[in-house]
Amino acid sequence: MMFGSVASPPPADSHVQRLIAHDKFVVDRWTGSAQHPVGGDQRCHIFVTLAGRVWLERDAAREPLRAGQTVLVPAAAGPLIVRPEASAVMLDMYVPA
């Protein structure tokens, strides 16, 4: 389901599926094990792990995010790397640029 068209959709062969694109928020579903750079864009991101486990990494710090867990990454947090395990599924929710 798509509402509006404020955010560019991810490429067709991507592991990211745009679920909602509204002028107030965007929801993307990430699947697979490819790592993602996130943050550093002056926007808050809310991550929800639906299945599996992902690792949030910044500098030398590494924190797990397991199925059912949610984390808010503040806009001022700077860039992070999200490293999902093979079966991970997560949502990334944020305000469009």
Side-chain angles (χ1 to χ4, degrees), residues 1-7 18-27 96:
M1 178 183 299
M2 298 278 294
F3 296 100
S5 59
V6 296
R18 175 79 21 96
L19 300 178
I20 300 172
H22 191 272
D23 64 333
K24 305 291 186 214
F25 63 95
V26 174
V27 178

Side-chain angles (χ1 to χ4, degrees), residues 8-9 11-13 18-19 27 31 34 45-46 54 57 59 74 76 80 88 92 96:
S8 315
D13 62 346
R18 175 79 21 96
L19 300 178
V27 178
T31 57
H45 287 261
I46 300 171
V54 301
E57 300 177 359
D59 301 325
L80 303 170
D92 177 13

Side-chain angles (χ1 to χ4, degrees), residues 12-63:
D13 62 346
S14 175
H15 49 273
V16 179
Q17 179 185 13
R18 175 79 21 96
L19 300 178
I20 300 172
H22 191 272
D23 64 333
K24 305 291 186 214
F25 63 95
V26 174
V27 178
D28 291 338
R29 178 174 45 206
W30 297 4
T31 57
S33 59
Q35 73 179 26
H36 313 277
V38 297
D41 55 5
Q42 298 302 308
R43 294 184 279 182
C44 293
H45 287 261
I46 300 171
F47 292 106
V48 179
T49 304
L50 302 176
R53 179 170 62 178
V54 301
W55 295 90
L56 301 176
E57 300 177 359
R58 180 170 179 193
D59 301 325
R62 185 175 191 209
E63 293 292 327

